[in-house]
Amino acid sequence: MRVFLCAALLLVTCGSGFSNPSAANSLKPFTTDGCSLWLDGTPEQPNLWRHCCVAHDLAYWQGGTKEQRKQADVDILACVKLAQGTGMANYIYGNVRWGGSPYWMSNYRWGYGWDYLDGMWPRGYKVPTAEEQAQIDAQMPAAREVITRDAELNPVTDDKPVTPAP
């Protein structure tokens, strides 16, 4: 009986993901929160590496293959290392590798712009279909506007030079 109730609850909770496996997945507009659940910079420079996280969010929003995710994570490692140093870069890298899995039901997972379920199953790692790539391409100008606006609202410095830590 418990198994039946759990299965019924899952079906109700997931809704259309199970009811129409052939339904097209629609890409939600790009959003960013900077460094999800973490600092965007130091107390002195509160947005010091935020731009690294915003660029990372753009890749995570689109999703794609396992190799593309790995490259996005290597890119944030390099960016934060340049902005702040090895310690913070390694910390952030370790957390995005663990916490950004497409199989977590979070708003910062790989492919977060798409519904968690793709038909009956988690989207996971997936090369976008031609239709999905067209959605990405169509939304990219607006995504770039969000990134530009985020940079204006969260400048790296207040005209102070950025000095990376050793």
Side-chain angles (χ1 to χ4, degrees):
M1 183 66 172
R2 284 186 187 173
V3 172
F4 174 76
L5 289 174
C6 288
L9 180 61
L10 184 62
L11 284 171
V12 170
T13 303
C14 295
S16 64
F18 280 99
S19 62
N20 187 2
S22 64
N25 200 340
S26 295
L27 182 64
K28 295 169 211 51
F30 173 71
T31 60
T32 183
D33 61 357
C35 302
S36 307
L37 304 176
W38 188 241
L39 306 169
D40 294 335
T42 65
E44 297 80 26
Q45 295 176 299
N47 298 308
L48 185 57
W49 56 81
R50 181 182 177 94
H51 64 284
C52 304
C53 298
V54 172
H56 190 252
D57 284 351
L58 184 64
Y60 266 55
W61 166 72
Q62 298 173 68
T65 66
K66 193 174 201 175
E67 294 75 24
Q68 288 170 315
R69 176 175 173 231
K70 175 71 173 170
Q71 186 59 56
D73 293 348
V74 166
D75 291 348
I76 197 172
L77 174 70
C79 185
V80 175
K81 185 175 183 178
L82 186 63
Q84 178 59 24
T86 304
M88 184 59 67
N90 287 338
Y91 181 81
I92 289 174
Y93 176 78
N95 281 287
V96 298
R97 289 305 300 159
W98 181 84
S101 168
Y103 301 106
W104 296 124
M105 292 182 87
S106 67
N107 62 343
Y108 48 83
R109 66 177 160 73
W110 179 250
Y112 72 84
W114 305 101
D115 291 338
Y116 176 75
L117 293 178
D118 189 25
M120 285 183 35
W121 307 105
R123 181 175 180 86
Y125 296 106
K126 178 182 176 184
V127 174
T129 65
E131 178 187 328
E132 291 169 341
Q133 188 60 53
Q135 290 181 57
I136 293 168
D137 295 343
Q139 290 198 37
M140 194 56 71
R144 296 211 184 279
E145 286 181 29
V146 169
I147 292 170
T148 299
R149 183 72 178 134
D150 188 81
E152 291 168 355
L153 293 172
N154 303 288
V156 172
T157 63
D158 296 320
D159 298 317
K160 292 184 255 180
V162 177
T163 307

